[in-house]
Structure formats: C-alpha cells, structure tokens
Amino acid sequence: MKRISMFLAALTLMAGASAKVTMPKMFSNGMVLQRETKANLWGEARQNATMKITTSWDKRTYLVKADGQGKWKSSVTTPEAGGPYTITFDDGEKTVLENILIGEVWICSGQSNMEMQMKGFKAQPVAGAISDCLLSTDAQLRMFTVKRNSQFAPVGDVSGTWMEANPGNTREFSATAYYFGRLLRQVLGVPVGLISTSWGGSACEAWMTAEWLKAFPDAKIPQSEADIKSKNRTPTVLYNGMLHPLIGYGMRGVIWYQGEDNVPRYKTYADMLSTMIRGWRADWQQGDFPFYYCQIAPYDYSLIDWKTNSALLREQQSKVERMVGNTGMAVLMDAGLEYGIHPRKKREAGERLAYLALRNTYGIQGIPEHARYERVEFRGDTAVVSFDRSKEWVYFDHGTKSSLFEVAGSDHVFYPAEAWVDRNRVYVKSSQVGSPVAVRYAFTNWAQGDLFCDGLPVSSFRTDNWEE
C-alpha cells in the first residue's frame, strides 16, 4: 500500500510538472484585446513555475511566476489597432493563442432587451434582422456571449466562445450589442470586441455585491444556496457567476440595458444603478470608464398586472447621468411596443448607445445629444417648458401639436392639454386648468413619444414630485 501511495504521489507531481497553461474562456483564439493599454492576462500553469509570455506584435517577452497553486497574473502592452496576432505562453510547454485582434472592447450587460438575439424571441422578431444578418460578415467584429450562470459565491471562469460576425453567428448574438458594435466599426475603422453578459428578467440587484447592497435594506442577500429563490433576480448571483470572472479584462467601457424588472421597486433605482456603476469601476481598477445605458422603452405594464407606472422608473434612470460622471442615457421613447416588453427596434437602441460612445468617448464631431427637460415657467393659464442641450430646437415628430402633455392645478388632478412649440420651448395649457402648477409629458406606461430635438427623442418627464 505504501508503494502504491508513493506511485500515485509521483504521478501527481509529474502531472503538475507538465501542466499546460490554462486561462479563462474569454482568453482564447479569436479574442479582441483593448488597444493602447496594459491588457491583463491571468490563468494557471505549473506550480511555482516561471512562465514566459511573448506577444507577436512587438516580439516582447514578459516573465511571470506562478504561485504555489499554479495561479498567475500579468499584463501586456498593446499597440494601436491591428492584427491578427498571437500570444505564446511557455512554462516548459507552449500554449499559443491565435487570431488575436487589437481594438476596442466593450462589455454589454443587462436583462432581456440586451440579451435578445438578432433572431429575436419566439413570436418576437427584431426589425430588419434578416437583411442585417445577411450583410453582417466582418472578420474584425468579434462577439463573445457569456452563458447564463447563477452562483451563490464568485466563480473564476465563464462559458463562451469568441465568434466572428457572419450571418450565422450574428443571428445568435445580442441585437442591441451588435448594432452598437457595427456602428463603432463603421465609424472608427478598427477591430471591435463585444462581450455580452446578460440574462432576461434579471434584477439590478443580481449584478451587485452584498457590500454594495448594504445601502438597500430591502435587498435580501442570500446566506446559503437555499436562499436563492430566483436564478436571475436574487441579489448577487449574476455578479458572482457572470460578471466577476470578467473583471479586469481590458476594455473601453460598458453598455447596459436593464430596468424593467425594477419597475415595482423604482424608488431606489437611481441610487442603486449609481452604486452599481461605482462598484464595477472600483472592481475593474481602470478608472471611471464610460458607462452608457438605455432608458427602458414604453410598454403597457398593465398587461402583466403591474400597478406601477413605469414612467417613474424612466425618471429614475434619467437622474443617473446627472449623478455619476462619464455616463449617458439613450432615450427610446419612440422605440417601444405597446403590447410587448421586447420592442423590435433594437437598431435604435444599439445605435443610440453608439452615438453616446462616439461623441463622448471617441470625440467624433457632429453627433447631437438627447435634449432634456430643464425647467418650467407658469404664465397665467399656460406652462412654458424649457430644455437644455436643445440648440437645434425641439419639435413634434408627427405634426405641429402633441396629445401627450397634461397639466394639473393645485388639486393635483391632471387633464389632457394642448401643446405647441416655439423655438426650444413647449407651451402647454388646458381649458380645464386655469392656473396650472405642474406639467407632464408622456408620463405613462405606454406612449409613442413624439417630442424630438435634432433627430433624437426627449425622455418622458414631469415637473412635479408628487407621490403617485
């Protein structure tokens, strides 16, 4: 028995001595690394081994020592955009990653409207997807989808594969993320890598840590596996399983499309999303990277028996870009679907996120911003609403008047109002309200937004802060 034990121990040592370098799945053939940065790499190798990492773009070799468990971490300096390149890892046995591009990398996260693939959901198509998929072949647009994974504790790897854009691969990828990446490719002319990590129906709380959620006592942090009542809504579980393994991967920024699940808990959403953004940034340790997000699109939530007015969640979302630096909101008031929570207009969502990135992150000139409600002045029976970021003046998309405005007097009762535009102001009044004190625009679950400025819709808004 002693000889058998010694033999097994020797086999174990031999296996460790010849252990091949392994890395998380996102470090694989076909990946995109962020350009002009120190890109982190990590994985496992022989215990205590000194490993050589050689990058083909500059022939430089980096030395890194694995610890007693064989774990190692290093970083390599990436050049201007280009490729394909290789990276060789040598701890006595060589591992080579091939077909690597250097370009712009973005993390794409959220719930179903980010997860929704170009092929759509059952009986829920994406507008224009068939022709866009057919025309999508682009070897320099790479896509990685993180497989759904709900975990009680943080894990170190994800499941997924880097794919080049082509009709078959694009059809299986996030539509919002694809349209975002396609426009970046067309404008910047550099390789683009998109990592989609999203789960339909997921709560914002699920993408956060227990530490961050201490400020939100209603968030029930699981204390054991038995406490996980929902795989995609329980706090912390998607951070653990689908975000934590990615943290540290060099990227430019994040796009986010989430909020529908938080409609019934709208009161905390602005603070919660702000906390989440700051938490992700602290964990990534690459500064205040850009974070751009979609405002949820209009939808009649009464169809699923939700009593909360989703305009209140949209209002909370509109606060975040004022609360947290280097963020921006893409407004989708014209891109909803009255009878479906998964609107078909995903090109509008992806491209409006791209407008934010191209304008604010990449400094491209000539891209307008979404005009925002700024203030209201009451002149007798008329309310005069002003906007900022509206140098090109606001207008109604389907004529000279809008039916989406309401006014209320001191009794807090709202009545439909007549609205018209003069320059960058909207004038609002109702024959039923002699002395208005509040104005609302499209402040309902469902509305086909018609207030625009420079081709982009204006968010729903209200001038009051009355309890609903």
Side-chain angles (χ1 to χ4, degrees), residues 12-89:
T12 301
L13 286 171
M14 290 171 62
S18 61
K20 188 167 183 157
V21 174
T22 59
M23 304 177 72
K25 301 296 190 305
M26 62 276 189
F27 297 117
S28 57
N29 293 336
M31 70 178 176
V32 182
L33 294 180
Q34 179 61 42
R35 61 174 169 167
E36 299 176 287
T37 190
K38 288 189 178 296
N40 294 321
L41 301 169
W42 63 88
E44 296 184 7
R46 289 188 301 111
Q47 297 171 5
N48 301 308
T50 297
M51 182 176 62
K52 294 187 292 186
I53 303 174
T54 304
T55 50
S56 71
W57 53 81
D58 57 4
K59 311 303 182 186
R60 182 174 174 182
T61 296
Y62 303 79
L63 297 180
V64 57
K65 185 176 175 64
D67 66 17
Q69 286 72 49
K71 298 184 182 298
W72 59 269
K73 184 174 183 179
S74 185
S75 62
V76 297
T77 301
T78 55
E80 295 181 354
Y85 298 112
T86 63
I87 303 179
T88 301
F89 304 85

Side-chain angles (χ1 to χ4, degrees), residues 74-127:
S74 185
S75 62
V76 297
T77 301
T78 55
E80 295 181 354
Y85 298 112
T86 63
I87 303 179
T88 301
F89 304 85
D90 187 352
D91 71 339
E93 182 177 357
K94 289 185 178 181
T95 298
V96 181
L97 298 185
E98 301 177 320
N99 191 22
I100 298 167
L101 297 181
I102 308 295
E104 291 297 304
V105 178
W106 287 80
I107 306 295
C108 316
S109 189
Q111 60 180 108
S112 56
N113 278 309
M114 180 61 79
E115 184 182 37
M116 189 176 184
Q117 300 160 311
M118 288 289 282
K119 67 181 180 183
F121 296 137
K122 293 185 184 302
Q124 300 172 85
V126 171

Side-chain angles (χ1 to χ4, degrees), residues 233-375:
R233 291 185 173 90
T234 301
T236 75
V237 294
L238 301 188
Y239 173 91
N240 292 336
M242 299 179 67
L243 190 80
H244 181 266
L246 301 174
I247 290 172
Y249 191 98
M251 50 80 168
R252 179 65 70 186
V254 170
I255 58 172
W256 173 259
Y257 193 162
Q258 190 279 336
E260 295 89 346
D261 184 75
N262 286 77
V263 166
R265 307 181 301 284
Y266 73 90
K267 290 183 179 181
T268 60
Y269 193 80
D271 288 333
M272 184 172 289
L273 184 59
S274 298
T275 300
M276 192 199 82
I277 295 168
R278 294 187 181 107
W280 285 23
R281 286 173 171 173
D283 277 5
W284 235 280
Q285 295 184 14
Q286 64 167 70
D288 291 344
F289 57 73
F291 190 103
Y292 302 123
Y293 61 96
C294 284
Q295 186 182 51
I296 60 171
Y299 159 66
D300 184 359
Y301 281 81
S302 68
L303 296 174
I304 53 175
D305 294 325
W306 284 13
K307 307 305 181 185
T308 306
N309 179 2
S310 61
L312 293 164
L313 190 283
R314 296 197 301 266
E315 179 182 63
Q316 288 281 306
Q317 290 179 308
S318 69
K319 295 178 180 179
V320 174
E321 63 177 357
R322 298 179 186 268
M323 295 168 64
V324 185
N326 206 16
T327 63
M329 183 178 74
V331 178
L332 301 177
M333 288 303 299
D334 61 328
L337 187 64
E338 182 176 8
Y339 53 87
I341 201 169
H342 302 125
R344 298 167 181 170
K345 296 181 178 181
K346 291 296 183 286
R347 180 178 63 81
E348 286 82 349
E351 291 191 350
R352 286 174 188 169
L353 288 167
Y355 297 159
L356 291 167
L358 291 167
R359 184 184 191 279
N360 299 327
T361 300
Y362 298 107
I364 304 298
Q365 301 296 309
I367 301 174
E369 296 181 274
H370 292 278
R372 297 184 301 195
Y373 163 71
E374 185 177 30
R375 64 181 182 274

Side-chain angles (χ1 to χ4, degrees), residues 425-463:
R425 290 177 173 79
V426 176
Y427 292 75
V428 189
K429 74 174 182 177
S430 170
S431 59
Q432 295 172 284
V433 182
S435 299
V437 299
V439 179
R440 293 183 175 184
Y441 162 69
F443 210 77
T444 57
N445 276 323
W446 163 252
Q448 182 68 32
D450 61 5
L451 180 61
F452 280 68
C453 182
D454 209 1
L456 295 174
V458 177
S459 170
S460 54
F461 64 85
R462 60 176 177 163
T463 67

Side-chain angles (χ1 to χ4, degrees), residues 90-218:
D90 187 352
D91 71 339
E93 182 177 357
K94 289 185 178 181
T95 298
V96 181
L97 298 185
E98 301 177 320
N99 191 22
I100 298 167
L101 297 181
I102 308 295
E104 291 297 304
V105 178
W106 287 80
I107 306 295
C108 316
S109 189
Q111 60 180 108
S112 56
N113 278 309
M114 180 61 79
E115 184 182 37
M116 189 176 184
Q117 300 160 311
M118 288 289 282
K119 67 181 180 183
F121 296 137
K122 293 185 184 302
Q124 300 172 85
V126 171
I130 296 175
S131 58
D132 286 337
C133 284
L134 288 173
L135 297 171
S136 70
T137 299
D138 183 352
Q140 295 206 333
L141 177 57
R142 306 282 175 86
M143 307 169 295
F144 186 102
T145 300
V146 173
K147 185 178 179 180
R148 289 178 170 185
N149 188 17
S150 177
Q151 293 289 331
F152 172 67
V155 297
D157 201 357
V158 295
S159 293
T161 305
W162 281 100
M163 304 183 300
E164 294 182 0
N166 62 43
N169 290 339
T170 302
R171 180 174 165 79
E172 301 296 325
F173 190 66
S174 160
T176 296
Y178 170 72
Y179 285 116
F180 171 81
R182 184 181 74 170
L183 192 55
L184 293 193
R185 278 279 301 127
Q186 292 170 344
V187 176
L188 300 177
V190 301
V192 170
L194 305 170
I195 300 177
S196 176
T197 180
S198 51
W199 189 326
S202 60
C204 185
E205 296 92 324
W207 298 96
M208 301 174 68
T209 70
E211 182 65 27
W212 307 340
L213 287 167
K214 285 181 178 178
F216 306 96
D218 289 339

Side-chain angles (χ1 to χ4, degrees), residues 368-369 371 387-396 421-426 451-456 458:
E369 296 181 274
F387 303 85
D388 67 0
R389 305 193 304 203
S390 58
K391 293 181 180 179
E392 302 302 323
W393 303 352
V394 295
Y395 62 91
F396 297 130
V421 171
D422 184 17
R423 298 167 70 90
N424 73 334
R425 290 177 173 79
V426 176
L451 180 61
F452 280 68
C453 182
D454 209 1
L456 295 174
V458 177

